[in-house]
Coordinates of all heavy atoms in Angstrom, one line a residue:
R65 N 103.6 220.0 -44.7 CA 103.1 221.3 -44.5 C 103.4 221.7 -43.0 O 103.8 222.9 -42.7 CB 101.6 221.5 -44.8 CG 101.1 222.8 -44.6 CD 99.6 222.9 -44.9 NE 98.8 221.9 -44.1 CZ 98.5 222.0 -42.8 NH1 98.9 223.0 -42.1 NH2 97.8 221.1 -42.2
D66 N 103.1 220.8 -42.1 CA 103.2 221.2 -40.7 C 104.3 220.5 -39.9 O 104.4 220.7 -38.7 CB 101.8 220.9 -40.0 CG 101.4 219.4 -40.1 OD1 102.1 218.7 -41.0 OD2 100.6 218.9 -39.4
R67 N 105.1 219.7 -40.5 CA 106.2 219.0 -39.8 C 107.2 218.3 -40.7 O 106.9 218.2 -41.9 CB 105.6 217.9 -38.8 CG 104.9 216.8 -39.6 CD 104.2 215.9 -38.6 NE 103.4 214.8 -39.2 CZ 102.2 214.9 -39.7 NH1 101.6 216.1 -39.7 NH2 101.6 213.9 -40.3
L68 N 108.3 218.0 -40.2 CA 109.3 217.2 -40.9 C 109.2 215.8 -40.3 O 109.2 215.6 -39.1 CB 110.7 217.7 -40.7 CG 110.9 219.2 -41.1 CD1 112.3 219.7 -40.6 CD2 110.8 219.4 -42.6
V69 N 109.1 214.8 -41.2 CA 109.0 213.4 -40.7 C 110.3 212.7 -41.0 O 110.7 212.6 -42.1 CB 107.9 212.7 -41.4 CG1 107.8 211.2 -40.9 CG2 106.5 213.4 -41.2
L70 N 111.0 212.4 -39.9 CA 112.3 211.7 -40.0 C 112.0 210.2 -40.4 O 111.3 209.5 -39.7 CB 113.0 211.7 -38.7 CG 114.5 211.2 -38.7 CD1 115.4 212.0 -39.6 CD2 115.0 211.3 -37.3
L71 N 112.4 209.8 -41.6 CA 112.1 208.5 -42.1 C 113.2 207.5 -41.8 O 112.9 206.3 -41.5 CB 112.0 208.6 -43.7 CG 110.9 209.6 -44.2 CD1 111.0 209.7 -45.7 CD2 109.5 209.1 -43.8
H72 N 114.4 207.9 -41.9 CA 115.6 207.0 -41.7 C 116.7 207.8 -41.1 O 117.0 208.9 -41.4 CB 116.1 206.4 -43.0 CG 115.0 205.7 -43.7 ND1 114.4 206.2 -44.9 CD2 114.4 204.5 -43.6 CE1 113.5 205.4 -45.3 NE2 113.4 204.4 -44.6
I73 N 117.4 207.1 -40.2 CA 118.7 207.7 -39.6 C 119.6 206.5 -39.3 O 119.1 205.5 -38.7 CB 118.4 208.6 -38.5 CG1 119.7 209.3 -38.1 CG2 117.8 207.9 -37.3 CD1 119.5 210.5 -37.1
A74 N 120.8 206.6 -39.7 CA 121.8 205.6 -39.3 C 123.2 206.2 -39.3 O 123.5 207.1 -40.0 CB 121.8 204.5 -40.4
T75 N 124.0 205.7 -38.3 CA 125.3 206.1 -38.1 C 126.3 204.9 -38.4 O 125.9 203.8 -38.0 CB 125.5 206.6 -36.7 OG1 124.6 207.7 -36.5 CG2 126.9 207.2 -36.5
A76 N 127.4 205.2 -39.0 CA 128.4 204.1 -39.2 C 128.8 203.5 -37.9 O 128.9 204.3 -36.9 CB 129.6 204.7 -40.0
D77 N 129.0 202.2 -37.9 CA 129.4 201.5 -36.6 C 130.5 202.2 -35.9 O 130.5 202.4 -34.7 CB 129.8 200.1 -36.9 CG 128.6 199.2 -37.3 OD1 127.4 199.6 -37.0 OD2 128.8 198.1 -37.8
T78 N 131.5 202.7 -36.7 CA 132.7 203.3 -36.1 C 132.4 204.7 -35.5 O 133.3 205.3 -34.8 CB 133.9 203.4 -37.1 OG1 133.4 204.2 -38.2 CG2 134.3 202.0 -37.6
R79 N 131.3 205.3 -35.8 CA 130.9 206.7 -35.4 C 129.8 206.7 -34.4 O 129.3 207.8 -34.1 CB 130.7 207.5 -36.6 CG 131.9 207.7 -37.5 CD 132.9 208.5 -36.8 NE 134.1 208.7 -37.6 CZ 135.1 209.5 -37.3 NH1 135.0 210.2 -36.1 NH2 136.1 209.6 -38.1
R80 N 129.3 205.6 -34.0 CA 128.2 205.6 -33.0 C 128.6 206.3 -31.7 O 129.7 206.2 -31.3 CB 127.7 204.2 -32.8 CG 127.1 203.5 -34.0 CD 125.8 202.9 -33.8 NE 125.2 202.6 -35.1 CZ 125.2 201.4 -35.6 NH1 125.7 200.4 -34.9 NH2 124.6 201.2 -36.8
R81 N 127.6 206.9 -31.1 CA 127.8 207.6 -29.8 C 128.9 208.7 -29.9 O 129.5 209.0 -28.9 CB 128.1 206.6 -28.7 CG 127.0 205.5 -28.6 CD 127.1 204.7 -27.4 NE 126.9 205.5 -26.2 CZ 125.7 205.8 -25.7 NH1 124.6 205.5 -26.4 NH2 125.5 206.5 -24.6
S82 N 129.0 209.3 -31.1 CA 130.0 210.4 -31.3 C 129.3 211.7 -31.6 O 130.0 212.7 -31.9 CB 131.0 210.0 -32.3 OG 130.4 210.0 -33.6
G83 N 128.0 211.8 -31.7 CA 127.3 213.0 -32.0 C 126.8 213.1 -33.4 O 126.2 214.1 -33.8
I84 N 127.1 212.2 -34.3 CA 126.7 212.3 -35.7 C 125.2 212.3 -35.8 O 124.6 213.1 -36.6 CB 127.3 211.1 -36.5 CG1 128.8 211.1 -36.5 CG2 126.8 211.1 -37.9 CD1 129.4 212.4 -37.1
G85 N 124.5 211.4 -35.1 CA 123.0 211.4 -35.2 C 122.4 212.7 -34.8 O 121.5 213.3 -35.4
R86 N 122.9 213.3 -33.7 CA 122.5 214.6 -33.2 C 122.7 215.7 -34.3 O 121.9 216.5 -34.5 CB 123.3 214.9 -31.9 CG 123.0 216.3 -31.4 CD 123.9 216.7 -30.2 NE 123.7 215.8 -29.1 CZ 122.9 216.0 -28.0 NH1 122.3 217.1 -28.0 NH2 122.8 215.1 -27.1
L87 N 123.9 215.6 -34.9 CA 124.2 216.7 -35.9 C 123.3 216.5 -37.1 O 122.8 217.5 -37.7 CB 125.6 216.5 -36.4 CG 126.7 217.0 -35.4 CD1 128.1 216.7 -35.9 CD2 126.6 218.5 -35.1
L88 N 123.0 215.3 -37.5 CA 122.1 215.1 -38.7 C 120.7 215.6 -38.3 O 120.1 216.3 -39.2 CB 122.0 213.6 -39.0 CG 123.2 213.0 -39.7 CD1 123.2 211.5 -39.7 CD2 123.2 213.5 -41.2
V89 N 120.2 215.3 -37.2 CA 118.8 215.9 -36.8 C 118.9 217.4 -36.7 O 117.9 218.1 -37.1 CB 118.4 215.2 -35.4 CG1 117.1 215.9 -34.9 CG2 118.1 213.7 -35.6
A90 N 119.9 217.9 -36.1 CA 120.1 219.4 -36.0 C 120.1 220.0 -37.4 O 119.4 221.1 -37.6 CB 121.3 219.8 -35.2
E91 N 120.8 219.4 -38.3 CA 120.8 220.0 -39.7 C 119.5 219.9 -40.3 O 119.1 220.9 -41.0 CB 121.8 219.2 -40.5 CG 121.9 219.5 -42.0 CD 122.4 220.9 -42.3 OE1 123.1 221.5 -41.5 OE2 122.1 221.5 -43.4
I92 N 118.8 218.8 -40.2 CA 117.4 218.7 -40.8 C 116.5 219.8 -40.2 O 115.8 220.5 -40.9 CB 116.9 217.3 -40.6 CG1 117.6 216.3 -41.4 CG2 115.4 217.3 -40.8 CD1 117.4 214.9 -41.1
G93 N 116.6 220.0 -38.9 CA 115.7 221.0 -38.2 C 116.1 222.4 -38.7 O 115.2 223.3 -38.8
S94 N 117.4 222.6 -38.9 CA 117.8 224.0 -39.3 C 117.4 224.3 -40.7 O 117.3 225.5 -41.0 CB 119.4 224.1 -39.2 OG 120.0 223.4 -40.2
R95 N 117.2 223.3 -41.5 CA 116.7 223.6 -42.9 C 115.3 224.1 -43.0 O 114.9 224.7 -43.9 CB 116.9 222.3 -43.8 CG 118.3 222.0 -44.0 CD 118.4 220.6 -44.7 NE 119.8 220.4 -45.0 CZ 120.3 219.9 -46.2 NH1 119.4 219.5 -47.1 NH2 121.6 219.7 -46.4
H96 N 114.5 223.7 -41.9 CA 113.1 224.2 -41.9 C 112.8 224.5 -40.4 O 112.1 223.8 -39.7 CB 112.2 223.0 -42.4 CG 112.6 222.5 -43.7 ND1 112.1 223.1 -44.9 CD2 113.4 221.5 -44.1 CE1 112.7 222.5 -45.9 NE2 113.4 221.5 -45.5
P97 N 113.4 225.6 -39.9 CA 113.3 225.9 -38.5 C 112.0 226.1 -37.9 O 111.8 226.0 -36.6 CB 114.2 227.1 -38.3 CG 114.2 227.7 -39.7 CD 114.1 226.6 -40.7
D98 N 111.0 226.4 -38.7 CA 109.6 226.6 -38.1 C 108.8 225.4 -38.0 O 107.6 225.4 -37.6 CB 108.9 227.7 -38.9 CG 109.5 229.1 -38.7 OD1 110.1 229.3 -37.6 OD2 109.5 229.9 -39.6
L99 N 109.4 224.2 -38.4 CA 108.6 223.0 -38.4 C 109.2 222.0 -37.3 O 110.4 221.9 -37.2 CB 108.7 222.3 -39.7 CG 108.0 223.0 -40.9 CD1 108.3 222.2 -42.2 CD2 106.6 223.2 -40.7
P100 N 108.3 221.3 -36.6 CA 108.9 220.3 -35.7 C 109.3 219.1 -36.4 O 108.9 218.9 -37.6 CB 107.6 220.0 -34.8 CG 106.5 220.3 -35.7 CD 106.9 221.5 -36.5
V101 N 110.2 218.3 -35.8 CA 110.7 217.1 -36.4 C 110.0 216.0 -35.6 O 110.1 215.9 -34.4 CB 112.2 217.0 -36.3 CG1 112.7 215.7 -36.9 CG2 112.9 218.1 -36.9
V102 N 109.4 215.0 -36.4 CA 108.8 213.9 -35.7 C 109.3 212.6 -36.3 O 109.8 212.6 -37.4 CB 107.2 213.9 -35.9 CG1 106.6 215.1 -35.2 CG2 106.8 213.8 -37.3
A103 N 109.3 211.6 -35.5 CA 109.8 210.3 -35.9 C 108.9 209.2 -35.2 O 108.4 209.5 -34.1 CB 111.2 210.1 -35.6
E104 N 108.9 208.1 -35.8 CA 108.2 206.9 -35.1 C 109.3 205.9 -35.0 O 110.0 205.6 -35.9 CB 107.0 206.4 -35.9 CG 106.3 205.3 -35.1 CD 105.1 204.8 -35.9 OE1 104.2 205.7 -36.3 OE2 105.0 203.6 -36.1
T105 N 109.4 205.3 -33.8 CA 110.5 204.3 -33.5 C 110.0 203.2 -32.6 O 108.9 203.3 -32.0 CB 111.7 205.0 -33.0 OG1 112.8 204.1 -33.0 CG2 111.5 205.5 -31.6
D106 N 110.8 202.2 -32.4 CA 110.6 201.2 -31.4 C 111.4 201.5 -30.2 O 112.1 202.5 -30.1 CB 110.9 199.8 -31.9 CG 112.3 199.6 -32.4 OD1 113.2 200.3 -31.9 OD2 112.6 198.8 -33.3
G107 N 111.3 200.7 -29.2 CA 112.0 201.0 -27.9 C 113.5 201.1 -28.0 O 114.1 201.7 -27.1
T108 N 114.1 200.5 -29.0 CA 115.6 200.5 -29.0 C 116.2 201.9 -29.3 O 117.3 202.1 -28.9 CB 116.1 199.5 -30.1 OG1 115.6 199.9 -31.4 CG2 115.7 198.1 -29.8
S109 N 115.4 202.8 -29.8 CA 115.9 204.1 -30.2 C 115.4 205.3 -29.4 O 115.8 206.4 -29.5 CB 115.7 204.4 -31.7 OG 116.3 203.5 -32.5
V110 N 114.4 205.0 -28.5 CA 113.8 206.0 -27.7 C 114.8 206.8 -26.9 O 114.8 208.1 -26.9 CB 112.7 205.4 -26.7 CG1 112.3 206.5 -25.7 CG2 111.6 204.9 -27.5
D111 N 115.8 206.2 -26.3 CA 116.8 206.9 -25.5 C 117.6 207.9 -26.4 O 117.9 209.0 -25.9 CB 117.8 205.9 -24.8 CG 117.1 205.2 -23.7 OD1 116.0 205.6 -23.2 OD2 117.6 204.1 -23.2
F112 N 118.0 207.5 -27.6 CA 118.7 208.4 -28.5 C 117.9 209.7 -28.7 O 118.4 210.8 -28.5 CB 119.0 207.7 -29.8 CG 119.3 208.7 -30.9 CD1 120.5 209.4 -31.0 CD2 118.4 209.0 -31.9 CE1 120.8 210.3 -32.0 CE2 118.6 209.9 -32.9 CZ 119.8 210.6 -32.9
Y113 N 116.6 209.5 -29.1 CA 115.8 210.7 -29.4 C 115.6 211.5 -28.1 O 115.6 212.8 -28.2 CB 114.4 210.2 -29.9 CG 114.5 209.7 -31.4 CD1 114.4 208.4 -31.6 CD2 114.7 210.6 -32.4 CE1 114.5 207.9 -32.9 CE2 114.8 210.1 -33.7 CZ 114.7 208.8 -34.0 OH 114.8 208.3 -35.3
A114 N 115.3 210.9 -27.0 CA 115.1 211.6 -25.7 C 116.3 212.4 -25.4 O 116.2 213.6 -24.9 CB 114.7 210.7 -24.6
A115 N 117.5 211.9 -25.6 CA 118.8 212.5 -25.2 C 119.0 213.8 -26.0 O 119.7 214.7 -25.6 CB 120.0 211.6 -25.4
I116 N 118.4 213.9 -27.2 CA 118.6 215.1 -28.0 C 117.4 216.0 -28.0 O 117.3 216.9 -28.9 CB 119.1 214.8 -29.5 CG1 118.1 214.0 -30.2 CG2 120.4 214.1 -29.4 CD1 118.5 213.8 -31.7
G117 N 116.5 215.8 -27.1 CA 115.4 216.8 -26.9 C 114.1 216.4 -27.4 O 113.1 217.2 -27.2
F118 N 113.9 215.2 -27.9 CA 112.6 214.8 -28.4 C 111.7 214.4 -27.2 O 112.2 213.9 -26.2 CB 112.7 213.6 -29.3 CG 113.1 213.8 -30.7 CD1 114.4 214.1 -31.0 CD2 112.2 213.8 -31.8 CE1 114.8 214.4 -32.3 CE2 112.6 214.0 -33.1 CZ 113.9 214.3 -33.4
T119 N 110.4 214.7 -27.3 CA 109.4 214.2 -26.4 C 108.9 212.9 -26.9 O 108.9 212.6 -28.1 CB 108.3 215.2 -26.1 OG1 107.6 215.4 -27.4 CG2 108.8 216.5 -25.5
T120 N 108.4 212.0 -26.0 CA 108.0 210.7 -26.3 C 106.5 210.5 -26.0 O 106.0 210.8 -24.9 CB 108.8 209.7 -25.4 OG1 110.2 209.9 -25.6 CG2 108.4 208.2 -25.8
V121 N 105.8 209.9 -27.0 CA 104.4 209.5 -26.8 C 104.3 208.0 -27.1 O 104.5 207.7 -28.3 CB 103.4 210.3 -27.6 CG1 102.0 209.8 -27.5 CG2 103.5 211.8 -27.2
P122 N 104.0 207.1 -26.2 CA 103.8 205.7 -26.5 C 102.6 205.5 -27.5 O 101.5 206.1 -27.3 CB 103.5 205.0 -25.2 CG 103.9 206.0 -24.2 CD 103.8 207.4 -24.8
L123 N 102.8 204.7 -28.5 CA 101.7 204.4 -29.4 C 101.1 203.0 -29.2 O 100.2 202.6 -29.9 CB 102.2 204.5 -30.9 CG 102.7 205.9 -31.3 CD1 103.3 205.8 -32.7 CD2 101.6 206.9 -31.2
G124 N 101.7 202.2 -28.3 CA 101.3 200.9 -28.1 C 101.9 199.9 -29.1 O 102.9 200.2 -29.8
E125 N 101.3 198.7 -29.2 CA 101.8 197.7 -30.1 C 101.2 197.9 -31.5 O 100.1 197.5 -31.7 CB 101.5 196.3 -29.6 CG 102.4 195.8 -28.6 CD 102.2 194.3 -28.2 OE1 101.8 193.6 -29.1 OE2 102.5 194.0 -27.1
K126 N 101.9 198.6 -32.4 CA 101.4 198.7 -33.7 C 101.6 197.5 -34.5 O 100.8 197.2 -35.5 CB 102.1 199.9 -34.5 CG 101.5 201.2 -34.2 CD 102.2 202.3 -35.0 CE 101.5 202.5 -36.3 NZ 102.0 203.7 -37.0
Y127 N 102.6 196.7 -34.2 CA 102.8 195.4 -34.8 C 102.9 194.4 -33.6 O 103.3 194.8 -32.5 CB 104.2 195.4 -35.5 CG 104.3 196.6 -36.5 CD1 105.1 197.7 -36.1 CD2 103.6 196.7 -37.6 CE1 105.3 198.8 -36.9 CE2 103.7 197.8 -38.5 CZ 104.5 198.9 -38.1 OH 104.6 200.0 -38.9
P128 N 102.5 193.1 -33.9 CA 102.5 192.2 -32.8 C 103.9 192.1 -32.0 O 104.9 191.9 -32.7 CB 102.2 190.9 -33.4 CG 101.4 191.3 -34.7 CD 102.0 192.6 -35.1
G129 N 103.8 192.4 -30.7 CA 105.0 192.3 -29.9 C 106.0 193.4 -30.0 O 107.1 193.4 -29.4
V130 N 105.7 194.5 -30.8 CA 106.6 195.6 -31.0 C 105.9 196.9 -30.6 O 104.9 197.4 -31.2 CB 107.0 195.7 -32.5 CG1 108.0 196.9 -32.6 CG2 107.7 194.5 -33.0
R131 N 106.3 197.5 -29.5 CA 105.8 198.7 -29.0 C 106.5 199.8 -29.8 O 107.7 199.9 -30.0 CB 106.1 198.9 -27.5 CG 105.3 198.0 -26.6 CD 105.6 198.2 -25.2 NE 105.1 199.5 -24.8 CZ 105.6 200.3 -23.9 NH1 106.7 199.9 -23.2 NH2 105.1 201.5 -23.6
R132 N 105.6 200.8 -30.2 CA 106.1 201.9 -31.0 C 105.9 203.2 -30.3 O 105.1 203.3 -29.4 CB 105.4 202.0 -32.4 CG 105.5 200.8 -33.2 CD 106.9 200.6 -33.8 NE 107.1 201.6 -34.8 CZ 108.3 201.7 -35.5 NH1 109.3 200.9 -35.2 NH2 108.5 202.7 -36.4
F133 N 106.7 204.2 -30.6 CA 106.7 205.5 -30.0 C 106.7 206.6 -31.0 O 107.5 206.5 -32.0 CB 107.9 205.7 -29.0 CG 107.9 204.6 -28.0 CD1 108.5 203.4 -28.2 CD2 107.4 204.8 -26.7 CE1 108.6 202.4 -27.3 CE2 107.4 203.8 -25.8 CZ 108.0 202.6 -26.0
R134 N 106.0 207.7 -30.8 CA 106.1 208.9 -31.6 C 107.0 209.9 -30.8 O 106.8 210.2 -29.7 CB 104.7 209.6 -31.8 CG 104.9 210.9 -32.5 CD 103.6 211.5 -33.0 NE 102.9 210.6 -33.9 CZ 103.0 210.7 -35.2 NH1 103.7 211.6 -35.8 NH2 102.4 209.8 -35.9
M135 N 108.0 210.3 -31.5 CA 109.0 211.2 -31.0 C 108.8 212.6 -31.6 O 108.7 212.6 -32.9 CB 110.4 210.7 -31.2 CG 110.6 209.2 -30.8 SD 110.2 208.8 -29.1 CE 111.5 209.8 -28.3

Side-chain angles (χ1 to χ4, degrees):
R65 181 184 54 75
D66 60 343
R67 66 189 177 277
L68 303 173
V69 179
L70 189 60
L71 302 170
H72 306 104
I73 188 166
T75 303
D77 289 342
T78 59
R79 294 294 179 172
R80 295 230 168 99
R81 304 193 65 79
S82 68
I84 298 297
R86 176 187 298 263
L87 289 175
L88 286 164
V89 171
E91 174 66 22
I92 289 167
S94 74
R95 290 174 176 221
H96 307 276
D98 290 331
L99 297 177
V101 180
V102 298
E104 186 177 306
T105 191
D106 58 26
T108 60
S109 298
V110 169
D111 289 343
F112 160 74
Y113 288 107
I116 62 173
F118 281 75
T119 58
T120 306
V121 174
L123 298 175
E125 281 190 28
K126 273 186 96 171
Y127 313 105
V130 180
R131 292 183 64 213
R132 301 290 289 176
F133 301 86
R134 173 170 301 265
M135 311 302 294

